[in-house]
Amino acid sequence: MTTTTQREHDRPGPYRVLGTRPIRHDGLDKVTGVAKYGADIQLPGMLHGMMLRSPHAHARIRSINTSKAAALPGVRAVATAADFPIMARGGIDFAQLQGNARMIAENVLAHTKVLYKGHAVAAVAATDRHIAAEALKLIEVDYEILPTVLTLHDAMQPEAPLLHEEMTTRFRVERFARGDDTGVKSNIAGHIQHKLGDVEAG
């Protein structure tokens, strides 16, 4: 019977990196609390940003009032989707389906609706993080809570609440075709079918 000692186990293998246990050069700083992380850095004139997020999974935004937050001393800027107008018109070709600039922008800041709990609604920049956090509490958002769906299959039903109310389903059969707009409003952006041979005979 042979046994492997700890010293033999730690012995480097035939590679310079694989199979070895290199010293972590930042280990001492981390265990002694000397290491600097992003939250520890403070530069002259640096601003701290925070996001106000929706507490609702699906709701229409009736109004957003940021005047109190903007007036708070130390706040340098407050932004909502209204501050980022979409200048370009028309769709964007994603090959398999179509999109538009507004839909993409709504992933950054909600425009007319919030589409999930935690969806960003407004952003604040302030001289320190405590002021930024206080400014978030001063932003007034009037929500109209809408019905929600919790599963993929429920969202695909014809009677399901629509997330993107102007989106219509594009149907495509050919492999490289862009597909036709069915004109049917639903939560299904694209319906793609791949066919080979005679399906009925199969």
Side-chain angles (χ1 to χ4, degrees), residues 59-138:
R60 195 177 310 280
I61 301 174
R62 292 196 183 105
S63 64
I64 304 178
N65 188 343
T66 62
S67 58
K68 294 180 182 178
L72 185 68
V75 172
R76 292 292 181 263
V78 182
T80 67
D83 297 301
F84 300 95
I86 301 301
M87 306 304 294
R89 297 292 179 181
I92 300 175
D93 189 356
F94 294 124
Q96 294 184 348
L97 49 89
Q98 300 294 303
N100 60 67
R102 169 52 63 191
M103 190 178 296
I104 295 173
E106 286 178 359
N107 284 327
V108 180
L109 285 174
H111 185 230
T112 58
K113 293 172 62 178
V114 292
L115 305 178
Y116 52 89
K117 186 176 181 179
H119 197 166
V121 175
V124 170
T127 52
D128 69 54
R129 58 184 177 181
H130 303 292
I131 295 176
E134 188 63 30
L136 293 185
K137 300 176 184 177
L138 298 177

Side-chain angles (χ1 to χ4, degrees), residues 132-152:
E134 188 63 30
L136 293 185
K137 300 176 184 177
L138 298 177
I139 299 176
E140 301 170 353
V141 184
D142 182 14
Y143 293 104
E144 175 191 349
I145 300 177
L146 301 173
T148 59
V149 288
L150 302 179
T151 70
L152 169 67

Side-chain angles (χ1 to χ4, degrees), residues 167-172 179-186 188-191:
M167 186 178 73
T168 55
T169 304
R170 298 188 72 88
F171 181 77
R172 182 169 70 95
D180 298 320
D181 190 345
T182 64
V184 177
K185 294 183 178 181
S186 76
I188 303 173
H191 181 181

Side-chain angles (χ1 to χ4, degrees), residues 2-73:
T2 59
T3 59
T4 301
T5 65
Q6 184 64 37
R7 181 175 297 177
E8 290 173 339
H9 180 73
D10 292 340
R11 187 176 300 157
Y15 304 106
R16 290 189 301 168
V17 177
L18 297 177
T20 67
R21 296 187 178 185
I23 296 175
R24 296 189 59 156
H25 299 286
D26 59 350
L28 180 62
D29 289 344
K30 287 183 175 179
V31 300
T32 57
V34 177
K36 295 291 184 181
Y37 294 87
D40 300 318
I41 304 301
Q42 184 68 40
L43 301 175
M46 187 174 78
L47 298 179
H48 295 255
M50 285 193 175
M51 306 292 293
L52 178 67
R53 299 185 180 276
S54 168
H56 308 295
H58 189 204
R60 195 177 310 280
I61 301 174
R62 292 196 183 105
S63 64
I64 304 178
N65 188 343
T66 62
S67 58
K68 294 180 182 178
L72 185 68

